[in-house]
Amino acid sequence: MAGSALRRLMAEYKQLTLNPPEGIIAGPINEENFFEWEALITGPEGTCFEGGVFPAKLVFPPDYPLSPPKMQFTCEMFHPNIYSDGRVCISILHAPGDDPMGYESSAERWSPVQSVEKILLSVISMLAEPNDESGANVDAAKMWRENREEFDRIAEKIVRRTLGIPT
Amino acid sequence: MPVISVDRLPLPNLKAYSCVSVLALSACVYYAIQAIKEPNWNTMSDTGRRATPNDFERYNPGYNGTEADARTVGQFVSDIFTVMIREPVCVWTMINMAFCWLILLGRAVQKLVFGELRVSEHQQLRDKFWNFVFYKFIFVFGIINVQYIDEVLLWCSWFSLLGFLHLLSQLSKDRFEYLSFSPRTPFWSHVKLMALLATIFALSGFMFVVSIFVGFFGGFNTFAFMSAEVILLSIRTLHIIIRYALHLYDIRNEASAPLNSAEESKVWEKRGPISYYAELCFDLTALLIDLVHHLHMLLWSNIFLSMASLVVCMQLRYTGYLFHEIQRKYKKHRNYLWVRNHLEQNYPMATGKELQENSDNCAICWEKMDSARKLPCLHLFHNTCLLSWLEQDTSCPTCRLVLDIQNPSSANMESPELQNDPQENVRRPFNHFFHFDGSRYVSWLPSFSVEVSHVQAIRQNHIAASNSQLDAMARQVQTLFPHIPLSTAVEDLRSTRSVELTVENVLEGRLTAPVIFRETEREPSTNHRPMSVLQGDVEPAGAARNWDEFSTENVECEDTASLGSRFSKSSSEREKILQKRKEHLVHQARRRYIEKQRASTRTELQS
């Protein structure tokens, strides 16, 4: 069914190119393989990630949009819902069947009407308000709860690094 | 998929190997030429196949075999061949040469059809190769338990041919899957791949004929052993061909879609079941044949109990796995049929009027709907799209309304449906590890270890969320206003209990996103004057330098921004535009960041 997945991805790419949401750019890394995208998302304003441009890789399954893509930040990240290797833990990216944390209702999970744009918008709002119940990165979750200043300092460092500005 | 790791096997490179083979062969040919110059070389044999009429000429030391001889070239060659057949060393050299030819042929096909292999293809090819060699080794020595070298040779050559074709078809499959990920594959490479697949298919048909022929003399068992693999090969190849054809059809359709979209969508609706049934039939047949083949082997080796219990054990394991696979496929198919019937009986097709009112595309595939099925929540989808989604989840994709698709067999039977199969949840992928240390027996035998791991898709129970309506509504609100966080929407919905009211609240400003989400309009500051005083003592040197760069880059960036509103037809141009847009985004973010820091340090200084 890679044919229909390809058509849908092409349509999404077109839409994201013609009407890009503020601060989001996404597209195939190389059009030889349309199932691997790179996305750039801008840190939401008023948060500790403000101003940063975070690159992430999206890998789509052959039966997309029936199954969700996988998303992984390719820059260094420090966030309660992002694993230390950059993988994003967010309910919209979980297939309806699996529930790793055991508390998500299926309504928040993946459905074929979701899209790359919606995923990226969700990730932006996740950056703004971490869900510290699902600790993908326990250290970050702990620091977010207990030592916000230190958390902000680390985030600031990451933001500078993504912009290529010496810290 | 069994995975084999071979580390200690020394593999010479192809060039050296073919050179050595050619040298060895020419040495043998030279030996044979020398041998037939002997006067009565043929009398040494007791076959007496040929008389030697030209003895006289052969006494002549200056005699040149090809020109002066009365014998024809054909005779000469057959003489040489006779000599070589008689000499065991020569026979081995010829076999070696045949292998070399096969490898070279494979390399040529690879160069011609595939070009450079990708790393994953390489890896898979190697795994498949060792896997094949290993299983066939067990088969020949462990199961058939061949006693004579001739038989071993025959089986070996049979399996090397078969393995060769297997590898090629595997490679084609990988390549096809890879090509199907890309929209811009040249037409020519499709043709080449298809031609290769057709050739493989034809050759496997030919091999099947051979196996019938051999089976005619060798008995039913031999026939069954030989043909099973051939049939498997041809089924797999045919499967790939059909999948490929469907895919090509899809792609072509896309190109001609605007012309006859109504007709296309009709075909599209039909295409879903076709590809589903093709997939199912091929998978099931392949699995069944594999199962029968393995059962056959098992019975056979049990009778003769030849090599070791290990072989039997492995076969049993694999047979069990095959059996399980078939069961899984069957359950999945039942689920498919059930969902399909349920769809057809409970949810009507949308009428033409409804379709007109709802001008949206299908939310699953984002394509135009000329026919659609309507769910109780009034959402419309393509029949095929909806079916494939409901197979894995029983809720409306848009509003998450839980549909009442309960397979009755799962409700009142002990062994429930695939989706609600408890076994399915508990089952873990099992591995087993086999280590073969050849040097323990004979010093030159290689050592290798095989790890057979079966990865199965673990499908988990779907728990119907009864209290998900609120979340679903919030999500609906969020699709309209992405800047409203889910939690805010849920809060509001708790009081309003209606999507419409919440939407109204948002529109009239009663419900606002937290401050962090409000977007402030920024204008690119072009009239910025560098403030040397500030730069000197507070800003890092690097940042200052960057800033200077940006003021010059600004001009260039402005016109790349306009590229955003175009979607080029050419993929290379699209890539270029995307790259520029990315750079532009980073540049702007950097500029803003520095600007902001500048502003904050300024206010700090002022205070």
Side-chain angles (χ1 to χ4, degrees):
Chain A
M1 292 298 271
S4 49
L6 194 61
R7 286 151 72 145
R8 156 99 189 228
L9 282 173
M10 186 64 112
E12 289 203 34
Y13 183 31
K14 189 170 178 178
Q15 205 205 26
L16 277 170
T17 310
L18 295 182
N19 309 305
E22 172 81 19
I24 287 179
I25 289 181
I29 297 172
N30 176 348
E31 292 206 13
E32 289 274 308
N33 183 353
F34 232 81
F35 288 62
E36 275 187 32
W37 285 28
E38 190 189 43
L40 294 184
I41 55 181
T42 316
E45 277 168 35
T47 71
C48 52
F49 292 103
E50 175 174 345
V53 175
F54 307 101
K57 198 170 130 183
L58 286 158
V59 179
F60 297 89
D63 65 344
Y64 181 81
L66 297 177
S67 306
K70 289 190 173 62
M71 183 169 175
Q72 183 171 25
F73 278 100
T74 49
C75 64
E76 184 200 348
M77 271 311 226
F78 188 74
H79 188 279
N81 306 117
I82 300 175
Y83 289 97
S84 48
D85 62 354
R87 276 179 301 126
V88 180
C89 177
I90 179 172
S91 59
I92 192 178
L93 287 179
H94 293 149
D98 57 53
D99 187 0
M101 302 300 172
Y103 65 90
E104 294 160 352
S105 73
S106 79
E108 293 169 6
R109 290 199 222 121
W110 177 256
S111 124
V113 299
Q114 306 294 357
S115 61
V116 176
E117 185 179 332
K118 285 183 197 158
I119 292 171
L120 295 179
L121 288 171
S122 307
V123 169
I124 289 183
S125 65
M126 175 199 84
L127 287 181
E129 34 181 57
N131 173 2
D132 59 356
E133 283 165 39
S134 81
N137 184 340
V138 183
D139 294 341
K142 200 169 165 223
M143 197 182 284
W144 168 263
R145 268 198 305 270
E146 293 163 7
N147 190 352
R148 192 63 63 86
E149 270 163 40
E150 177 70 9
F151 187 91
D152 288 352
R153 212 180 51 74
I154 292 178
E156 172 80 9
K157 212 189 236 172
I158 291 171
V159 167
R160 277 174 162 273
R161 215 166 282 169
T162 62
L163 294 176
I165 298 170
T167 45
Chain B
M1 254 312 199
V3 181
I4 296 193
S5 52
V6 185
D7 299 325
R8 284 172 50 190
L9 269 186
L11 279 181
N13 77 355
L14 184 61
K15 245 183 214 160
Y17 172 64
S18 35
C19 275
V20 168
S21 304
V22 168
L23 273 181
L25 187 74
S26 30
C28 284
V29 171
Y30 180 73
Y31 164 79
I33 290 175
Q34 291 300 316
I36 57 171
K37 278 183 192 166
E38 295 291 318
N40 34 10
W41 63 274
N42 217 10
T43 55
M44 288 193 299
S45 74
D46 45 0
T47 52
R49 193 177 52 85
R50 281 181 76 243
T52 52
N54 298 328
D55 278 357
F56 160 74
E57 265 179 11
R58 281 191 212 150
Y59 279 111
N60 187 356
Y63 151 81
N64 187 323
T66 43
E67 286 169 23
D69 199 353
R71 290 177 301 177
T72 63
V73 178
Q75 274 170 328
F76 181 71
V77 169
S78 75
D79 276 352
I80 290 178
F81 192 68
T82 324
V83 172
M84 285 173 73
I85 284 286
R86 249 182 252 150
E87 203 64 44
V89 181
C90 292
V91 173
W92 286 111
T93 324
M94 284 197 315
I95 291 169
N96 177 50
M97 196 63 212
F99 272 104
C100 183
W101 272 112
L102 200 61
I103 295 172
L104 285 175
L105 180 68
R107 192 42 81 86
V109 170
Q110 179 230 310
K111 281 255 151 60
L112 198 69
V113 179
F114 301 103
E116 206 52 46
L117 289 188
R118 293 175 309 122
V119 180
S120 66
E121 284 171 341
H122 232 280
Q123 184 62 37
Q124 191 141 27
L125 204 62
R126 238 185 30 194
D127 290 350
K128 189 99 179 162
F129 173 72
W130 288 114
N131 192 29
F132 191 82
V133 168
F134 175 69
Y135 273 105
K136 292 312 153 199
F137 180 80
I138 284 188
F139 175 73
V140 170
F141 293 103
I143 290 165
I144 319 199
N145 194 16
V146 243
Q147 306 290 352
Y148 305 103
I149 191 79
D150 299 7
E151 274 185 64
V152 173
L153 268 184
L154 280 176
W155 277 113
C156 279
S157 44
W158 174 258
F159 281 132
S160 34
L161 267 182
L162 202 59
F164 177 70
L165 292 181
H166 253 308
L167 289 184
L168 275 184
S169 84
Q170 175 69 33
L171 198 56
S172 316
K173 186 175 166 224
D174 286 352
R175 183 49 69 94
F176 154 62
E177 272 160 12
Y178 176 67
L179 286 184
S180 68
F181 278 3
S182 161
R184 63 164 192 207
T185 314
F187 177 68
W188 188 232
S189 49
H190 286 311
V191 173
K192 282 197 284 193
L193 207 52
M194 269 303 220
L196 178 65
L197 281 168
T199 319
I200 295 174
F201 186 63
L203 277 178
S204 65
F206 173 71
M207 286 181 82
F208 184 65
V209 173
V210 171
S211 71
I212 289 178
F213 185 72
V214 172
F216 192 70
F217 295 106
F220 176 74
N221 278 318
T222 322
F223 165 71
F225 281 138
M226 282 173 83
S227 59
E229 284 281 343
V230 178
I231 297 175
L232 271 182
L233 172 68
S234 42
I235 284 178
R236 276 182 198 142
T237 317
L238 195 62
H239 186 187
I240 305 169
I241 292 180
I242 287 184
R243 268 176 63 193
Y244 206 154
L246 278 173
H247 175 74
L248 285 185
Y249 183 78
D250 260 14
I251 298 231
R252 260 172 50 92
N253 248 357
E254 188 182 20
S256 61
L259 296 175
N260 46 1
S261 62
E263 207 171 297
E264 183 240 4
S265 86
K266 236 179 251 163
V267 180
W268 174 256
E269 286 289 304
K270 248 192 240 162
R271 183 200 159 287
I274 289 180
S275 72
Y276 175 80
Y277 276 107
E279 198 90 348
L280 183 79
C281 285
F282 280 113
D283 281 351
L284 267 188
T285 337
L287 280 173
L288 267 178
I289 289 177
D290 219 6
L291 182 70
V292 170
H293 181 50
H294 276 88
L295 280 178
H296 185 198
M297 285 206 279
L298 209 60
L299 288 176
W300 181 265
S301 61
N302 259 343
I303 294 164
F304 288 89
L305 262 188
S306 49
M307 193 166 153
S309 54
L310 166 89
V311 177
V312 179
C313 189
M314 281 189 71
Q315 298 288 346
L316 264 178
R317 258 295 187 35
Y318 192 63
T319 314
Y321 158 75
L322 284 175
F323 186 68
H324 209 107
E325 267 305 281
I326 292 177
Q327 222 180 0
R328 202 172 64 86
K329 283 258 151 61
Y330 172 69
K331 276 184 185 166
K332 189 163 178 274
H333 179 59
R334 261 200 351 197
N335 181 43
Y336 169 84
L337 285 183
W338 169 256
V339 172
R340 202 186 62 181
N341 285 340
H342 184 85
L343 266 188
E344 277 165 10
Q345 280 161 15
N346 297 352
Y347 310 125
M349 295 300 278
T351 57
K353 201 173 135 228
E354 281 171 323
L355 274 175
Q356 270 179 352
E357 279 169 13
N358 183 332
S359 55
D360 290 347
N361 289 346
C362 168
I364 297 178
C365 66
W366 287 29
E367 274 167 52
K368 199 168 171 296
M369 281 190 289
D370 289 298
S371 68
R373 211 167 266 286
K374 190 174 69 175
L375 289 179
C377 48
L378 303 182
H379 290 118
L380 304 182
F381 303 96
H382 278 135
N383 192 20
T384 335
C385 299
L386 189 61
L387 182 56
S388 43
W389 169 248
L390 291 183
E391 248 187 287
Q392 61 183 70
D393 187 86
T394 52
S395 65
C396 167
T398 308
C399 65
R400 291 293 187 173
L401 176 80
V402 177
L403 300 172
D404 185 30
I405 304 182
Q406 264 293 322
N407 194 331
S409 62
S410 67
N412 49 26
M413 268 168 60
E414 281 300 298
S415 64
E417 204 40 46
L418 167 86
Q419 279 188 336
N420 317 32
D421 190 352
Q423 256 187 320
E424 218 78 28
N425 296 333
V426 188
R427 213 173 62 227
R428 298 270 179 278
F430 61 90
N431 298 346
H432 64 273
F433 190 75
F434 171 70
H435 181 72
F436 177 79
D437 190 4
S439 49
R440 246 205 255 157
Y441 309 104
V442 190
S443 60
W444 50 266
L445 269 179
S447 307
F448 58 91
S449 39
V450 183
E451 194 182 349
V452 184
S453 51
H454 301 292
V455 185
Q456 284 148 1
I458 301 171
R459 293 189 150 241
Q460 289 190 353
N461 206 344
H462 163 67
I463 309 145
S466 52
N467 59 348
S468 65
Q469 301 294 35
L470 208 62
D471 292 312
M473 279 149 73
R475 200 150 272 286
Q476 253 176 305
V477 173
Q478 216 185 15
T479 50
L480 290 171
F481 306 100
H483 64 282
I484 303 278
L486 204 63
S487 52
T488 317
V490 171
E491 278 302 317
D492 193 64
L493 279 165
R494 258 189 243 287
S495 52
T496 59
R497 287 272 152 204
S498 138
V499 178
E500 278 80 359
L501 284 178
T502 305
V503 166
E504 225 165 84
N505 282 348
V506 177
L507 286 176
E508 289 174 20
R510 281 193 288 268
L511 179 68
T512 50
V515 191
I516 41 171
F517 280 105
R518 212 172 287 147
E519 286 179 5
T520 48
E521 204 57 52
R522 291 158 173 273
E523 41 193 272
S525 68
T526 43
N527 54 353
H528 176 83
R529 290 184 306 273
M531 302 182 87
S532 51
V533 190
L534 288 173
Q535 256 174 24
D537 45 19
V538 280
E539 286 229 296
R545 182 175 48 77
N546 279 339
W547 169 244
D548 290 339
E549 278 170 26
F550 297 141
S551 11
T552 51
E553 273 164 349
N554 216 5
V555 186
E556 180 209 347
C557 288
E558 289 309 314
D559 51 81
T560 53
S562 64
L563 287 170
S565 54
R566 252 181 74 217
F567 191 69
S568 168
K569 280 248 184 261
S570 117
S571 65
S572 56
E573 202 178 335
R574 280 199 300 258
E575 275 173 2
K576 231 179 272 166
I577 291 175
L578 183 68
Q579 199 52 43
K580 276 195 183 158
R581 284 177 55 214
K582 282 181 187 167
E583 279 163 20
H584 177 66
L585 183 76
V586 176
H587 277 317
Q588 266 201 330
R590 208 180 293 167
R591 207 190 54 204
R592 279 185 199 170
Y593 185 86
I594 290 166
E595 223 173 290
K596 214 182 111 192
Q597 253 196 352
R598 214 178 274 270
S600 67
T601 42
R602 214 178 303 158
T603 48
E604 246 170 60
L605 276 187
Q606 275 166 6
S607 63

